[in-house]
Amino acid sequence: MSQAYYLQGSPLNVRLNGYVGRLARHGVSLLGTQELSVRGRKSGRMQRIPVNPHTYEGAQYLVSARGHSQWVRNMRAAGGGELRKGRSNRAFTAVEIADDEQKVLIVRAYLKRWGWEVNQYFQGITAKSTDAELLAACPDHPVFRITVEG
């Protein structure tokens, strides 16, 4: 049985993510970045990480560029979380997209928007990759459709 894809951040990357998350928490968003808070499946404490919420055909998604990361595992257990930018704190529910063919469309659009930042995590896959190449990569990159509550 193979291990699920996950690319852990370097110490520098973890430090930069913490900085970007703090900026979003204080209202400074870098090109749409927000801070995701999701309840830890083991600790029960809220875990925070900066994310790039992506809008595709009117719906909002979270794409895990690094694969089956801790926030993904926590999201699966919690079924939702919160997105924060400054004083705006939006609770949401999340449903993981299981259909890889649907994910291809979302991931391609995500890479068109955010590829400059995340291409290195997609193991050679870019927005210009073929549908077959994207389809092969989709199991490594969980996608959640998020619905803001209230």
Side-chain angles (χ1 to χ4, degrees):
M1 185 171 158
S2 67
Q3 193 77 314
Y5 173 74
Y6 170 59
L7 181 61
Q8 187 170 358
S10 69
L12 176 62
N13 190 261
V14 170
R15 187 177 214 166
L16 287 173
N17 274 348
Y19 181 67
V20 171
R22 279 192 299 282
L23 286 174
R25 193 175 327 129
H26 291 95
V28 180
S29 177
L30 304 176
L31 301 173
T33 299
Q34 295 182 38
E35 184 182 61
L36 167 67
S37 295
V38 62
R39 187 157 313 280
R41 65 195 182 286
K42 294 178 183 176
S43 70
R45 293 189 311 249
M46 294 302 271
Q47 306 295 311
R48 297 178 181 163
I49 187 167
V51 293
N52 300 320
H54 179 67
T55 302
Y56 177 74
E57 292 190 346
Q60 219 172 15
Y61 298 89
L62 293 175
V63 177
S64 180
R66 292 181 176 273
H68 298 266
S69 63
Q70 293 302 317
W71 78 258
V72 167
R73 295 170 189 168
N74 290 337
M75 186 71 68
R76 287 174 177 148
E82 298 173 344
L83 287 173
R84 178 181 205 127
K85 184 175 76 175
R87 292 183 179 168
S88 172
N89 194 20
R90 304 178 302 143
F92 66 87
T93 57
V95 176
E96 189 168 1
I97 305 299
D99 179 7
D100 285 343
E101 291 186 12
Q102 182 183 7
K103 283 171 58 175
V104 165
L105 302 171
I106 298 162
V107 168
R108 183 182 304 283
Y110 178 81
L111 289 171
K112 282 181 184 174
R113 172 72 173 101
W114 297 105
W116 61 273
E117 182 181 355
V118 300
N119 273 347
Q120 70 267 21
Y121 309 127
F122 278 82
Q123 306 174 88
I125 301 300
T126 70
K128 294 181 180 179
S129 295
T130 67
D131 285 350
E133 290 168 330
L134 282 166
L135 190 59
C138 277
D140 291 338
H141 300 282
V143 175
F144 293 87
R145 180 178 178 157
I146 60 173
T147 305
V148 175
E149 298 173 355

